Amino acid sequence: DTQNDRASRITSTSCPETMRCILAVSGTLQEGFPLRKNLDAPGAPAVHLGSGLVRGVRSYLDVKERGCREEDNAPNPACVVTGDAADGNVYELYLVDGAACLGALLGEPRYLAMAPDAVVLDLEAAETCDAVRKLARHVLGDASARRCSVLAVVSAAPAQPSFVRTPSDRSDGVTAFASGAA
């Protein structure tokens, strides 16, 4: 019984078959990491749209306490919405089937959630790729838009005692899971 099977059962009556959403992820759900497959639904693989900078979010690594059932696993990423413009995190954006979106976090570590309209994408930041910038401005119908809310974002509850800041070699407060976990 796979995670996608469970997600399909859960969402079979609650999601229209054609429902797709844009999901922002930072961590093991993104390209090149083990849980990326959780974003795919049967017959509807997720489409990577590109990256984008979100201000007011800080990336942490959830380092497991001694004796915890996950102690020997790699630290789990967790992005916390801080509201502080000095913080920022680079997210990867995907077009995801509704069933996969609802099931992506099943069985994953605590403190994670998907929240609508929780963050704003900086369309002028160098970290926001052209494809994401163009798509957002097209959807908004405004070629000069500077910001765009993200419809769904994976984030965490307030920072927990086991969280340590994701390492960053930048002085401007911006984090990125792929480079911070390396």
Side-chain angles (χ1 to χ4, degrees), residues 84-164:
D84 185 342
D87 291 333
N89 188 67
V90 178
Y91 278 85
E92 298 302 318
L93 285 80
Y94 291 85
L95 185 62
V96 179
D97 182 87
C101 190
L102 291 175
L105 297 179
L106 289 177
E108 293 309 313
R110 64 217 178 276
Y111 308 132
L112 294 179
M114 283 188 200
D117 289 335
V119 298
V120 175
L121 185 62
D122 183 343
L123 298 178
E124 295 186 325
E127 296 86 355
T128 301
C129 74
D130 284 337
V132 167
R133 186 178 295 114
K134 288 175 184 175
L135 175 64
R137 288 176 174 161
H138 174 75
V139 169
L140 293 171
D142 182 354
S144 63
R146 299 173 65 197
R147 301 178 334 151
C148 174
S149 72
V150 176
L151 294 182
V153 63
V154 175
S155 59
Q160 303 300 313
S162 59
F163 286 10
V164 296

Side-chain angles (χ1 to χ4, degrees), residues 7-182:
S8 293
R9 282 197 307 275
I10 289 169
T11 60
S12 64
T13 59
S14 59
C15 286
E17 286 187 38
T18 58
M19 182 182 148
R20 303 275 278 184
C21 70
I22 295 176
L23 177 64
V25 303
S26 178
T28 55
L29 288 171
Q30 70 190 53
E31 245 19 82
F33 291 93
L35 299 179
R36 165 56 191 82
K37 65 188 178 309
N38 290 3
L39 298 181
D40 297 329
V47 177
H48 184 233
L49 301 173
S51 57
L53 177 68
V54 172
R55 290 274 175 204
V57 175
R58 180 68 192 185
S59 176
Y60 291 86
L61 298 175
D62 185 5
V63 179
K64 303 304 174 210
E65 298 171 8
R66 197 166 192 76
C68 173
R69 70 178 174 89
E70 296 178 316
E71 178 185 357
D72 293 330
N73 292 337
N76 290 308
C79 291
V80 176
V81 178
T82 66
D84 185 342
D87 291 333
N89 188 67
V90 178
Y91 278 85
E92 298 302 318
L93 285 80
Y94 291 85
L95 185 62
V96 179
D97 182 87
C101 190
L102 291 175
L105 297 179
L106 289 177
E108 293 309 313
R110 64 217 178 276
Y111 308 132
L112 294 179
M114 283 188 200
D117 289 335
V119 298
V120 175
L121 185 62
D122 183 343
L123 298 178
E124 295 186 325
E127 296 86 355
T128 301
C129 74
D130 284 337
V132 167
R133 186 178 295 114
K134 288 175 184 175
L135 175 64
R137 288 176 174 161
H138 174 75
V139 169
L140 293 171
D142 182 354
S144 63
R146 299 173 65 197
R147 301 178 334 151
C148 174
S149 72
V150 176
L151 294 182
V153 63
V154 175
S155 59
Q160 303 300 313
S162 59
F163 286 10
V164 296
R165 286 183 161 227
T166 299
S168 177
D169 56 0
R170 297 176 57 157
S171 61
D172 61 0
V174 172
T175 53
F177 177 75
S179 61

